């Protein structure tokens, strides 16, 4: 299982193509908000969720997708979904 830092690095690779604010992306933390900080539009959040599903081989339900608004919450959801697979 990946460490939290490794998960964040993987998530950053997934998110990067959708980022509109490169400066904010350079300083990503767990508190970084996809919509407000990185200026990712809400339609792209669905693409990110699909990319995360594919990358980690997990299923993200709609309720979880709605919570994936920050880097930290996304990592928590990924960890939660990976744990369900075990």
């Amino acid at each position: 299982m990946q460490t939290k830092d490794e998960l964040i690095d993987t998530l950053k690779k997934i998110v990067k193509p959708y980022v509109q604010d490169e400066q904010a992306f350079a300083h990503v933390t767990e508190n970084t908000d996809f919509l407000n900080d990185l200026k990712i539009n809400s339609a792209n959040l669905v693409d990110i969720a699909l990319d995360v599903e594919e990358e980690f081989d997990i299923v993200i339900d709609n309720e979880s997708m709605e919570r994936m608004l920050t880097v930290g919450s996304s990592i928590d959801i990924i960890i939660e979904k990976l744990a369900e697979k075990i």
Side-chain angles (χ1 to χ4, degrees):
M1 184 127 157
Q2 293 180 320
T3 66
K4 201 167 202 172
D5 286 342
E6 290 169 333
L7 289 173
I8 290 172
D9 287 343
T10 303
L11 184 62
K12 284 172 71 174
K13 289 179 191 138
I14 292 169
V15 169
K16 186 164 182 20
Y18 306 105
V19 170
Q20 300 300 315
D21 187 332
E22 291 293 334
Q23 191 172 0
F25 184 72
H27 302 96
V28 165
T29 69
E30 287 189 41
N31 295 322
T32 299
D33 184 291
F34 293 136
L35 300 172
N36 298 323
D37 298 328
L38 301 180
K39 310 294 186 241
I40 296 172
N41 73 46
S42 54
N44 288 143
L45 285 180
V46 175
D47 296 326
I48 290 169
L50 295 173
D51 293 346
V52 166
E53 285 183 325
E54 192 174 313
E55 176 69 31
F56 294 100
D57 189 29
I58 56 177
V59 176
I60 298 174
D61 53 76
N62 287 342
E63 183 185 323
S64 296
M65 200 179 294
E66 288 169 12
R67 292 182 5 235
M68 288 181 68
L69 298 176
T70 67
V71 171
S73 64
S74 298
I75 295 300
D76 290 344
I77 290 164
I78 292 167
I79 291 170
E80 181 183 308
K81 298 299 178 185
L82 286 172
E84 289 173 7
K85 285 178 51 176
I86 298 172

